[in-house]
Structure formats: structure tokens, C-alpha cells
Amino acid sequence: MNDMPHSRPAHDEPLTPEELRVEAEATREQLGRTVEALAAKADVKAQVQRKAEDAKAQVHGKATEAKVQARLAAMDAKAQVREKAGTAKVRAREKAALAKDRAARIARDAQEKLPPPVVDKAMRAKARLGSTASAVAAKVEAKTPDAFAEQAGRAQRAVGRRSGPLLAVGIVGLLLVVGKRRAGKR
């Protein structure tokens, strides 16, 4: 408080009442600032509140950052899953195509090894199956609502389109039956 501005040295004439008022006002202002600073340092509750608000803001910031990081990680994981699912889907299609080719090859090999009478018998059975399916489909179509008739027609067309694989399955089944009978006669 020694840093008070003095307009005159201490050994000069006494201060006028106006100068005394100005000096007293300046002293009061400086004293008020000092008291406020001391009160702020002594106000523990306010200090704790400020620190709590600072900590709360810091925690909120870190939580927001963690949330953003989690979302980014989830998006990355989702993209990886999509990519791997697409790869697995392609591989499954490739394996299915290979299996289909192998089954067709096995069916052709089995058909080539069959004696002509067995092939003829299988072809007649296929024709009977087709005509029976057509007759059944016609009866079903006559006695069922349109929606069911449409489905039966689709099934009949599917049997007609897949005659090769059905023939192969029939031939393989016939070979198994003939093989068992021959094994049983021995």
C-alpha cells in the first residue's frame, strides 16, 4: 500500500481538503480490490465449484471424444463385416457352382455306364412321371383357387425344366436298387 500516488512530497505543506478526498478515494478503491482478492482466495466453496465445473467440462469433453471414437470403430467394424460377408457370398457361389458341375459329371458318368434297357426304362418312368404330374396339376387347377393353381403350374414347369437332374437322380436311385439286389443274390 506504499504504492499510493502522492502529488507532493511528505515535507511540503499540508494537503488541501480536496486532495485529501482524492487520496482517500484512491486508498478506498485499492483497499476494496485487495479485500476482493483476499475474499476470493478465502472463498473455498467458490473455488471448489470452479474446480468441479472445470472437471465436469473436462469429463464431458472426454466422454464426447470417446463416443465419437466408438462410433468410428463401429462403422469400421460394420464395413469389415460387409466386406467379409461379400467375400464369403462369392466363395459360397463358387463352391455351389463347383458342386453342381461335379454332380452333373457324376450323373453323366452314371448314365454312360448304364445298359441301354435301364436308360430306356428310366426315360419311360420320367415320361410317366411327367404325364402324371400334368394330370394331377390339371385336377388341382380345376378344384383350387387361382392362387394355388398358379403355384401348381409353376411347379409343373419347374419339373419340365429340370428333367436332366431329375433323370440323373432317378438313374442313381435305380443303380442303388439294382446294386443291392445283386449283392443280395450272391
Side-chain angles (χ1 to χ4, degrees):
M1 292 191 207
N2 292 339
D3 56 335
M4 294 287 296
H6 291 285
S7 53
R8 303 182 195 186
H11 62 277
D12 280 338
E13 298 178 18
L15 296 175
T16 64
E18 185 60 35
E19 290 173 336
L20 284 175
R21 272 191 225 111
V22 169
E23 192 173 318
E25 186 62 35
T27 303
R28 273 191 218 110
E29 285 180 21
Q30 184 179 9
L31 185 60
R33 286 191 300 270
T34 304
V35 168
E36 284 177 11
L38 288 174
K41 285 184 180 180
D43 190 0
V44 175
K45 183 178 178 182
Q47 288 178 5
V48 168
Q49 284 178 341
R50 272 194 307 275
K51 287 184 180 182
E53 288 172 4
D54 290 347
K56 182 179 175 182
Q58 190 176 22
V59 166
H60 180 70
K62 287 185 179 185
T64 302
E65 182 180 334
K67 189 187 296 185
V68 167
Q69 292 297 326
R71 283 185 182 162
L72 289 174
M75 288 171 40
D76 187 39
K78 190 175 181 180
Q80 288 178 1
V81 166
R82 278 190 191 139
E83 181 181 334
K84 288 182 181 182
T87 302
K89 193 175 185 181
V90 168
R91 286 183 184 159
R93 284 182 183 154
E94 290 171 353
K95 288 183 180 185
L98 289 174
K100 184 178 178 182
D101 291 344
R102 184 170 182 223
R105 216 175 27 255
I106 290 171
R108 275 193 310 272
D109 292 347
Q111 191 174 10
E112 289 172 1
K113 291 178 183 178
L114 288 176
V118 174
V119 173
D120 290 340
K121 193 171 185 178
M123 294 300 280
R124 284 193 305 272
K126 177 189 167 199
R128 278 192 307 243
L129 180 63
S131 65
T132 304
S134 295
V136 169
K139 287 179 183 178
V140 167
E141 186 176 340
K143 294 184 178 186
T144 57
D146 291 338
F148 292 114
E150 184 180 315
Q151 288 179 353
R154 274 190 256 148
Q156 182 183 5
R157 287 188 296 278
V159 168
R161 283 193 304 263
R162 294 186 179 97
S163 60
L166 286 174
L167 178 62
V169 169
I171 291 171
V172 170
L174 188 60
L175 284 174
L176 290 174
V177 169
V178 170
K180 282 190 177 188
R181 283 188 182 172
R182 285 186 184 169
K185 290 182 181 178
R186 289 184 189 170

